[in-house]
Amino acid sequence: MLRFLPLKLGRLYRCLKLLLVVGLFVILLMNTHNLFASFQKNELTDRRFINLNKCPACFGTSWCRKFMNGQVSFETWGRLRFLDVFNVKNVYFAQYGEPREGTRRVVLKRLGSNQELAEIDQKICKRATGRPRCDLIQAMYKTEFARINGDVRLLTPEVVEGWSDLVHCPSQRLLDRVVRRYAETKDSGSFLLKNLKDTERMQLLMTLAFNPEPLVLQSFPSDEGWPFAKYLGACGRVVAVNYVGEELWSFYNAPWEKRVDLARQLMDIAEQLTNNDFEFALYLLDVSFDNFAVGPRDGKVIVVDAENVLVADKRLIKQNKPESYDVWYESRFEECDREACLSFSKDSLCSRVTVDHNYYAVCQNLLSRYATWRGTTGGLLHDPPAHIAKDGQLEALLDECTRPKKRYGRFQAAKELREYLTQLAASSSASATARMAAGKVEVA
């Protein structure tokens, strides 16, 4: 009896192995399409890949000819579809070529993860039919995006207020600017909605509702000195922007002189977006090391993620004079167990003329010892030289800018911090020039 036991166990093992192989084969057959798809290449001429087939539920079509003509092509890793699982943000690097200008690097964005883009489809369907799935193109014509048609002369605040951060509290002046500078139409330059085609109007409104980043870049362009990446165009649900450089995080352990210069620029950006001649206050609601980049040649810091930017019209606030409009608004520091978190009231940002939010955001999330990112603490200005650490002025200013002890202390600390960083940057530059001159003398 015992002699047959190994034989029975052997048969059982072979049967289980056969069942396992058959099971794997069945699973493979059921997922053949997904398996093959994962080894396909990402192609910008593929209408389904760039979601051109979903227009007008898309971000635009101004760059479609460039995509289809092969003027834009993914760099190596972007072509491999099986690597998309690691590309959660759906951001790709590509080469763009013009016959007379040669090629240059650009950034292609889907403006959301796959899940977020799927949720856009569901929301459109629910708005039109009450169901999460539908014919997306037909549904667009049954939403408010289509009801605001050519008979409507202007895009007005009461129609779009609260759709996104950009229009949390829009003024007519802001909306006229958005429409006039809309880049996904051939006839840009007019603030009248009737000058847009039906599809262009729907694309504009959908962008405004779901991810207004392209509209921020168009309305406040880098060509006019705004610290944002340059908008280039869109095709389907892929938007093209100018490549700026490496993200700010890459400079976390750069030489002290470099970090001082970057910190100075960050504070300058906070000042420019808060106080400018246009009287638009642009408040950064999402501030992290990944949302800024540094130019490789000029070393200029640029905002590369502008989805969460709230724009308040100071001119309108002064005109309407809401309660406490002229009382300075101080952002409140709060302990947080997450990275890059901020405390703010959107309604207060929209109703006060003088606000310290941008200073607070930059100091807390990027510069000070309270800044945390990817498991590190200490901020961009960590480990200063001994003589600066001993002086204590830098640490005191950063602390007051982040967690003020005096009433309205952050406003004064931000001003003094900008001046102090400018002095440090100038001193570092002078020292570097002196060292270079000394080196030339020795060589001579």
Side-chain angles (χ1 to χ4, degrees):
M1 189 75 175
L2 292 175
R3 277 187 305 177
F4 293 103
L5 188 59
L7 183 61
K8 291 181 178 179
L9 288 175
R11 285 179 179 174
L12 180 62
Y13 172 74
R14 287 194 294 272
C15 288
L16 289 174
K17 192 161 74 169
L18 180 62
L19 287 173
L20 179 63
V21 171
V22 171
L24 289 174
F25 182 71
V26 171
I27 293 173
L28 184 64
L29 285 176
M30 293 173 63
N31 293 276
T32 297
H33 174 75
N34 293 334
L35 181 65
F36 287 145
S38 68
F39 286 98
Q40 289 178 343
K41 287 184 178 181
N42 291 331
E43 298 288 354
L44 292 172
T45 54
D46 182 348
R47 296 172 62 90
R48 298 186 68 85
F49 174 73
I50 60 178
N51 289 158
L52 183 59
N53 60 312
K54 294 187 176 183
C55 288
C58 66
F59 300 121
T61 58
S62 64
W63 259 43
C64 285
R65 181 172 295 180
K66 299 180 189 298
F67 280 19
M68 299 306 165
N69 288 347
Q71 289 178 260
V72 189
S73 58
F74 284 120
E75 292 182 355
T76 307
W77 302 113
R79 297 193 191 103
L80 305 177
R81 187 165 297 183
F82 72 90
L83 292 178
D84 286 353
V85 67
F86 303 108
N87 189 6
V88 179
K89 293 185 177 182
N90 276 329
V91 176
Y92 302 86
F93 296 104
Q95 292 292 323
Y96 165 57
E98 284 283 1
R100 296 180 181 178
E101 299 178 4
T103 60
R104 59 188 170 108
R105 201 178 200 193
V106 297
V107 179
L108 304 180
K109 298 182 173 185
R110 285 185 180 275
L111 301 181
S113 65
N114 291 337
Q115 181 179 347
E116 289 169 335
L117 293 172
E119 288 173 356
I120 288 178
D121 295 346
Q122 292 176 7
K123 287 178 181 177
I124 292 173
C125 287
K126 285 182 179 179
R127 290 185 184 196
T129 67
R131 300 187 303 274
R133 293 185 178 182
C134 66
D135 184 316
L136 196 64
I137 296 177
Q138 289 187 8
M140 278 292 288
Y141 287 90
K142 298 178 182 179
T143 64
E144 64 269 41
F145 305 138
R147 286 194 288 272
I148 304 174
N149 55 36
D151 296 330
V152 179
R153 184 171 179 271
L154 298 175
L155 184 62
T156 55
E158 58 269 18
V159 172
V160 298
E161 183 175 357
W163 278 16
S164 60
D165 289 334
L166 174 61
V167 289
H168 185 79
C169 50
S171 66
Q172 189 61 57
R173 189 166 69 103
L174 172 64
L175 295 180
D176 288 348
R177 185 184 182 95
V178 169
V179 175
R180 186 171 62 251
R181 292 167 178 252
Y182 185 52
E184 293 301 319
T185 175
K186 293 181 180 179
D187 300 319
S188 60
S190 171
F191 59 84
L192 298 177
L193 279 180
K194 67 180 183 180
N195 290 340
L196 298 179
K197 297 177 181 177
D198 290 343
T199 53
E200 293 170 346
R201 195 180 307 111
M202 284 189 279
Q203 290 165 4
L204 166 62
L205 295 172
M206 200 206 83
T207 306
L208 190 62
F210 291 112
N211 190 326
E213 179 177 356
L215 302 178
V216 174
L217 305 186
Q218 294 166 34
S219 302
F220 303 94
S222 60
D223 293 344
E224 296 179 6
W226 295 96
F228 298 110
K230 183 177 182 178
Y231 180 83
L232 299 175
C235 185
R237 288 186 177 174
V238 176
V239 168
V241 300
N242 196 40
Y243 172 74
V244 173
E246 293 186 41
E247 61 185 24
L248 182 63
W249 176 248
S250 302
F251 296 85
Y252 185 80
N253 289 314
W256 172 252
E257 294 79 9
K258 181 65 176 178
R259 289 185 282 131
V260 165
D261 178 61
L262 297 177
R264 176 190 60 79
Q265 290 189 61
L266 288 166
M267 290 301 294
D268 286 347
I269 288 174
E271 174 65 22
Q272 179 188 4
L273 296 182
T274 303
N275 300 304
N276 52 70
D277 294 338
F278 299 95
E279 293 193 275
F280 283 119
L282 284 69
Y283 298 116
L284 304 175
L285 306 186
D286 182 10
V287 175
S288 72
F289 282 90
D290 284 355
N291 292 346
F292 296 82
V294 181
R297 294 181 181 177
D298 57 9
K300 189 175 181 180
V301 179
I302 295 294
V303 181
V304 292
D305 188 337
E307 176 182 358
N308 303 111
V309 175
L310 185 151
V311 180
D313 189 336
K314 290 187 176 184
R315 194 176 298 176
L316 182 65
I317 296 173
K318 293 175 184 176
Q319 177 183 320
N320 291 344
K321 298 181 179 179
E323 184 179 357
S324 302
Y325 81 99
D326 55 351
V327 177
W328 291 12
Y329 176 73
E330 294 181 284
S331 300
R332 187 174 62 182
F333 172 86
E334 289 186 1
E335 296 282 359
C336 179
D337 57 358
R338 295 182 293 107
E339 294 181 333
C341 58
L342 294 170
S343 172
F344 53 82
S345 164
K346 291 183 181 180
D347 291 341
S348 295
L349 299 180
C350 288
S351 60
R352 305 290 184 93
V353 174
T354 307
V355 177
D356 67 359
H357 171 82
N358 284 335
Y359 313 131
Y360 153 69
V362 169
C363 285
Q364 173 167 305
N365 284 3
L366 300 177
L367 304 185
S368 74
R369 60 191 175 94
Y370 297 99
T372 59
W373 190 247
R374 298 188 184 179
T376 66
T377 57
L380 188 64
L381 295 175
H382 65 88
D383 300 317
H387 68 282
I388 293 177
K390 184 178 180 180
D391 175 71
Q393 184 178 0
L394 177 61
E395 183 179 0
L397 289 173
L398 287 172
D399 281 354
E400 189 68 12
C401 184
T402 304
R403 195 173 190 173
K405 297 177 181 178
K406 303 174 185 177
R407 188 181 186 188
Y408 304 136
R410 185 179 286 119
F411 292 96
Q412 184 62 29
K415 179 177 179 295
E416 293 182 12
L417 180 59
R418 288 181 66 215
E419 294 172 353
Y420 184 71
L421 291 172
T422 300
Q423 292 173 7
L424 288 180
S427 176
S428 299
S429 178
S431 299
T433 302
R435 287 195 297 270
M436 289 178 62
K440 289 181 179 179
V441 171
E442 290 179 6
V443 172

